[in-house]
Amino acid sequence: MSTRTARTPRAPRTSRPSRRPNLMLRLALVAIVLAALAAVVISAAGSGSPGGGDSSAGASKDVPAFDTATATATGTALPAFPDKGADPAVGQKAPRVQGTDLSGATRVVPTTGRPTILLFLAHWCPHCQREVPVVQDWVQSGGLPEDVDLVGVATAMSDVRPNWPASSWLAREGWTAPTVADAGNQAAVAYGLSGFPYWVVLDADGKVVERRTGELSTEQIDAMVQAARDGAPKE
Amino acid sequence: MDDTDLAITFFTLLTLVANAASLGLVGLAVAPARPPWTTLRADVIRSGLPVAWLVAAVSMGGSLWFSEVAGFEPCRLCWIQRACMYPLVAVLGVAVLRRRRPGAAGGWAERLALAMAAVGAVVAGYHLLVERFPQLESSTCDPTNPCSLVWFERLGFVTLPYMALSGFVAIIALLLSSRPARMEALA
């Protein structure tokens, strides 16, 4: 006995795509191949002209010694800068950092007997890239008094990250503050860095007056200068 | 020749192609219903899904190349975009296979793909804004990997989130242009 049942009628095939050559898909594949060929030609032509007007990570191959130089930190490390609440490092003696500056000379910070503002910078950080010209303009307009030091610390350096190397970036910005290289991040760790840009205000005794992160206005920097002069609160 | 530079140029060119294709699809949608536009529309309806799958697959390949070969660490917003783009390769693959079945037209896979691409486009758009206006997220850089970090920039506007946004928008345009309702209207 046959168990065959009547077939359900097929759905109309009007919605099925036809089998004719798939023009758009072919065009897409051709576009990929042409883009690959064009990229090879453009990159080959551009390799003879450094820079080229575009920016990308690790663009420069000739790296100055500054950008691979490490710093050493001696003394008790500061606790990490907290997101909120009182800063436990205020009043604590800051570590001394020895490193190479932009001229290639060895520099020790802070200088004994002078209030100091340390500014930790990362070449790849957009906020540092915006803050450096603000601070440089402030310095050039006479904002930094003679009795206070402003010292940069170029840290978190990485040749795969954009705006490398840091020394070229600072030179482009006309940066004049003495700056120590911290390629190994020892200084950043010793100062409890938690974000960029990172500010540490020290009084003439080398004690922490305050720490801050982020872009600051020139008015806020003026206030830090005054705080450095006034010194850490007495216990 | 630097491999990273070559890859950035390659994907920049594909991004521009995706932008042009998206604009072309919008133009086609409002074009009059007569040849050659009707022929082009029929092509888009037939090929839209496979091409959308190709866009997702190439985007995933590029994303993996930039992170695993070039060493560009993905940030938090990058990961959300990845979570939208990578599964699209599978979802759109299913949609392509379903569309090939007799009588099958659209379905959950295409709707899911559209939703994922829409979420990815919104996040990529926000990421692009964070790149341009870093203070949108914070006035401080995360010391490890901030979302405001611009790994590269070509032609003054093509960055990684711009590439992702272009991929998502192209997929959305292709999906909307090849909807089954449009297919039946042409039948």
Side-chain angles (χ1 to χ4, degrees):
Chain A
M1 190 173 70
S2 170
T3 57
R4 287 180 70 180
T5 54
R7 274 192 164 191
T8 309
R10 275 192 163 215
R13 299 184 64 165
T14 50
S15 61
R16 187 180 182 186
S18 73
R19 293 290 181 196
R20 80 183 182 89
N22 206 326
L23 178 66
M24 198 179 160
L25 187 56
R26 288 182 180 187
L27 278 176
L29 292 169
V30 168
I32 291 173
V33 172
L34 287 179
L37 292 173
V40 170
V41 172
I42 292 169
S43 293
S47 62
S49 55
D54 290 325
S55 64
S56 60
S60 174
K61 300 296 178 200
D62 302 323
V63 180
F66 175 86
D67 296 282
T68 54
T70 55
T72 55
T74 53
T76 307
L78 302 179
F81 180 58
D83 287 341
K84 49 190 162 188
D87 183 354
V90 171
Q92 188 176 326
K93 186 90 169 170
R96 288 175 76 80
V97 171
Q98 180 174 324
T100 307
D101 70 13
L102 286 161
S103 69
T106 299
R107 181 176 287 270
V108 178
V109 287
T111 304
T112 308
R114 285 181 65 82
T116 304
I117 297 173
L118 289 168
L119 173 54
F120 290 76
L121 299 164
H123 60 88
W124 43 264
C125 166
H127 294 290
C128 296
Q129 291 162 14
R130 287 156 52 104
E131 187 70 346
V132 159
V134 171
V135 176
Q136 184 57 37
D137 285 348
W138 172 78
V139 169
Q140 279 177 336
S141 63
L144 181 67
E146 287 187 1
D147 61 328
V148 177
D149 287 342
L150 171 68
V151 179
V153 181
T155 190
M157 294 193 267
S158 166
D159 64 353
V160 298
R161 292 204 166 195
N163 201 29
W164 164 264
S167 57
S168 302
W169 162 52
L170 294 172
R172 278 197 307 276
E173 296 292 347
W175 183 249
T176 53
T179 300
V180 174
D182 181 32
N185 303 339
Q186 286 93 336
V189 170
Y191 272 77
L193 182 146
S194 65
F196 291 108
Y198 181 58
W199 305 80
V200 183
V201 181
L202 306 176
D203 64 15
D205 297 327
K207 289 182 177 173
V208 176
V209 178
E210 66 172 309
R211 298 188 292 178
R212 301 182 77 154
T213 60
E215 294 179 47
L216 301 184
S217 66
T218 52
E219 290 76 18
Q220 289 171 307
I221 302 170
D222 285 334
M224 284 198 304
V225 167
Q226 193 54 49
R229 282 169 156 168
D230 293 344
K234 304 294 179 221
E235 292 174 10
Chain B
M1 191 189 308
D2 179 58
D3 283 350
T4 301
D5 189 61
L6 180 65
I8 292 171
T9 306
F10 172 60
F11 285 107
T12 296
L13 291 171
L14 286 186
T15 299
L16 298 179
V17 170
N19 293 163
S22 301
L23 285 174
L25 288 172
V26 171
L28 198 58
V30 297
R34 60 169 185 268
W37 311 118
T38 45
T39 315
L40 276 173
R41 275 184 193 152
D43 269 332
V44 169
I45 289 168
R46 190 167 40 252
S47 317
L49 266 181
V51 175
W53 175 85
L54 189 64
V55 172
V58 171
S59 300
M60 185 179 79
S63 161
L64 287 171
W65 199 95
F66 283 128
S67 63
E68 303 308 311
V69 181
F72 300 171
E73 298 163 55
C75 71
R76 179 175 46 84
L77 290 174
C78 290
W79 276 110
I80 299 173
Q81 290 160 76
R82 286 175 151 210
C84 292
M85 186 63 86
Y86 290 13
L88 269 177
V89 180
V91 173
L92 285 169
V94 170
V96 170
L97 294 176
R98 283 173 58 88
R99 183 72 76 83
R100 290 170 72 91
R101 280 170 32 205
W108 62 267
E110 285 168 58
R111 288 194 294 274
L112 178 60
L114 197 56
M116 289 165 68
V119 172
V122 170
V123 176
Y126 176 68
H127 195 178
L128 198 56
L129 281 175
V130 169
E131 277 192 344
R132 300 293 163 201
F133 308 102
Q135 67 275 22
L136 270 177
E137 285 248 299
S138 160
S139 70
T140 303
C141 282
D142 170 348
T144 53
N145 199 16
C147 290
S148 53
L149 198 160
V150 181
W151 285 100
F152 61 81
E153 185 176 62
R154 287 293 158 93
L155 308 173
F157 65 96
V158 180
T159 60
L160 272 173
Y162 183 86
M163 288 179 171
L165 178 63
S166 300
F168 284 123
V169 167
I171 289 169
I172 291 169
L174 286 160
L175 285 173
L176 292 178
S177 304
S178 63
R179 279 174 302 174
R182 301 200 61 182
M183 181 180 279
E184 277 155 18
L186 281 183

